[in-house]
Amino acid sequence: MDVDMEERQIQARFVTKLNPPFKAPPSAITIPATVTRLGLSTIVNSLIKAGDPEWETQPFDFLIDGELVRMSLDRFLLAKGISAEKTLEIEYIKAVVPRKEEEPSLHDDWVSAVDGSCSRFILTGCYDGFGRVWKGAGVCTHILEGHTDAITSVSVINPLGDVTLATASKDRTLRLWKMDSEGVEDSPAKIRPFKILRGHNASVGSVAAQGSGSMICSGSWDCRVNLWQTDESSAEGDSVSVKKRKTKNGTEEPQLEGAPVSTLVGHTQQVSSLVWPERDTIYSASWDHTIRRWDAETGKDVSSIICGRPFNCLSVGGEGSTLVAAGGSTPILRIWDPRKPGTSAPVYQFSSHTSWISACQWHSKSWFHLLSASYDGKVMLWDLRTAWPVSVIESHEDKVLCADWWKEDCVISGGRDSKLRISSGVPVL
């Protein structure tokens, strides 16, 4: 049967949801049954170029019945039980691969945290204890100084409005920084420290913000999740004191100190990652092998996902912004659907990494795409419609410790090589 398939030709019609000039003629053509994805891409580029001599070759991916083709066409049809006797409809989309690797942005120590949720800048945290704000590759506009130990996590609060930055550290504190709205677009905005949050008894490993920006949560090696107010005024349960901070020019400026408004207790080991996707819902991942969903209002542990190994990272997104992706001390990226109660089995598992997974992040505008970073030195881009990574980024020279999306079409990552890397022109949308 394989021999017969190799000799066969298949009638196929190429379709796309892409706008002109990406549309190929819709008429059916004959193609070899053994053609691969690269061969299909060559065919589509030739069809488009025939009608547009100015066309520049683009890489494409291909979907048949909603699933990405990652093997020769004949083997794909055989594996899926699809008949090759009728005209095959093949949808093509832009291949999700970076078009450019930007110059590295150098730090003085390991880059342990990164946040790309604001399109105007990138926020990084480093083992030298400093936070940094980057306007682009190699362009550092601000250094956030105040922590006395390594920064482990960062968060941009309210990235579309009045921006506040949060940094978490091994020095057991979190710090909040106000970014002035004036001058952000054309010139460096002023950033001032305004609040120190104390309440953990061990290193703080993760910080996440509520959508409104009025609160953040933090996870620590003390096994607890603390909730904090982010404003400059005292609220019920938020004990605030005012301290003086001496600046470089010798002047003193006031800086608030805040205590947690509530604490979520239940984990038995380090809380490694947090997500606050809805007003009253917080997800926490821990080295105690669990992911817990909390009611932020009542502080109750609503449900748990149990896995046999420690978790390092967590992200919530995908269809309906409900799928839970997580990775940890195995090379496997797992995804759960909490809408399917009564089972702790993941609905997807991706196993192309060769070492621990350090970070994962859904794309904010796609139901299908997410990224993962690993101690194997690679960042992988995934599409739920195939079991293989759609792109592998190998720009780091050591373990990758953090990764995120930026500007919807860039992948940013930091690692033990002390570099922030930006892979741009990733056409997810």
Side-chain angles (χ1 to χ4, degrees), residues 10-13 64 73 77 82-83 86-90:
I10 293 177
Q11 287 286 314
R13 179 183 296 109
I64 298 177
L73 193 55
L77 298 179
I82 300 173
S83 172
K86 60 181 181 180
T87 300
L88 196 63
E89 186 170 278
I90 304 175

Side-chain angles (χ1 to χ4, degrees), residues 55-309:
W55 172 257
E56 294 185 4
T57 299
Q58 301 273 347
F60 292 107
D61 270 321
F62 298 87
L63 292 159
I64 298 177
D65 287 351
E67 186 166 343
L68 280 166
V69 177
R70 277 296 182 271
M71 58 188 76
S72 64
L73 193 55
D74 56 351
R75 293 185 180 277
F76 181 88
L77 298 179
L78 189 62
K80 302 302 175 182
I82 300 173
S83 172
E85 300 300 326
K86 60 181 181 180
T87 300
L88 196 63
E89 186 170 278
I90 304 175
E91 180 184 355
Y92 61 96
I93 59 177
K94 293 179 181 179
V96 181
V97 294
R99 272 34 177 194
K100 183 181 179 183
E101 288 293 338
E102 307 289 346
E103 288 297 314
S105 302
L106 301 179
H107 293 63
D108 293 329
D109 209 328
W110 298 357
V111 182
S112 50
V114 65
D115 188 320
S117 58
C118 184
S119 62
R120 301 191 297 264
F121 61 85
I122 300 167
L123 174 63
T124 61
C126 183
Y127 261 57
D128 62 6
F130 297 135
R132 290 173 174 83
V133 176
W134 304 82
K135 190 175 181 179
V139 184
C140 180
T141 58
H142 301 82
I143 295 179
L144 311 181
E145 183 178 355
H147 286 293
T148 58
D149 207 335
I151 292 179
T152 54
S153 183
V154 297
S155 179
V156 178
I157 305 168
N158 197 24
L160 300 178
D162 294 329
V163 176
T164 299
L165 309 179
T167 54
S169 171
K170 286 187 174 184
D171 66 10
R172 304 184 180 187
T173 72
L174 296 99
R175 290 176 181 257
L176 301 181
W177 317 74
K178 279 288 186 186
M179 174 177 280
D180 293 344
S181 57
E182 295 181 3
V184 171
E185 294 291 346
D186 301 319
S187 60
K190 291 182 179 179
I191 298 179
R192 60 181 177 87
F194 81 94
K195 201 170 189 179
I196 303 173
L197 307 179
R198 303 185 191 275
H200 283 295
N201 299 321
S203 172
V204 186
S206 181
V207 59
Q210 188 187 49
S212 67
S214 61
M215 295 187 71
I216 61 172
C217 59
S218 59
S220 167
W221 281 75
D222 63 14
C223 310
R224 300 187 174 205
V225 177
N226 284 343
L227 276 60
W228 317 79
Q229 297 280 356
T230 59
D231 57 22
E232 297 184 69
S233 60
S234 177
E236 184 180 352
D238 182 23
S239 176
V240 175
S241 61
V242 179
K243 302 290 184 182
K244 293 289 186 178
R245 174 182 180 270
K246 187 165 289 187
T247 62
K248 290 182 178 180
N249 58 17
T251 62
E252 290 188 340
E253 60 182 19
Q255 190 165 199
L256 301 173
E257 290 201 1
V261 296
S262 62
T263 299
L264 310 180
V265 180
H267 284 296
T268 58
Q269 292 193 49
Q270 173 198 357
V271 179
S272 54
S273 187
L274 293 164
V275 181
W276 199 332
E278 299 174 357
R279 184 178 181 273
D280 294 326
T281 301
I282 295 172
Y283 285 92
S284 60
S286 170
W287 282 18
D288 65 10
H289 305 182
T290 68
I291 296 171
R292 297 173 186 256
R293 181 163 65 94
W294 306 86
D295 185 313
E297 186 68 27
T298 66
K300 290 184 178 179
D301 180 355
V302 179
S303 63
S304 297
I305 296 171
I306 301 173
C307 187
R309 302 293 287 271

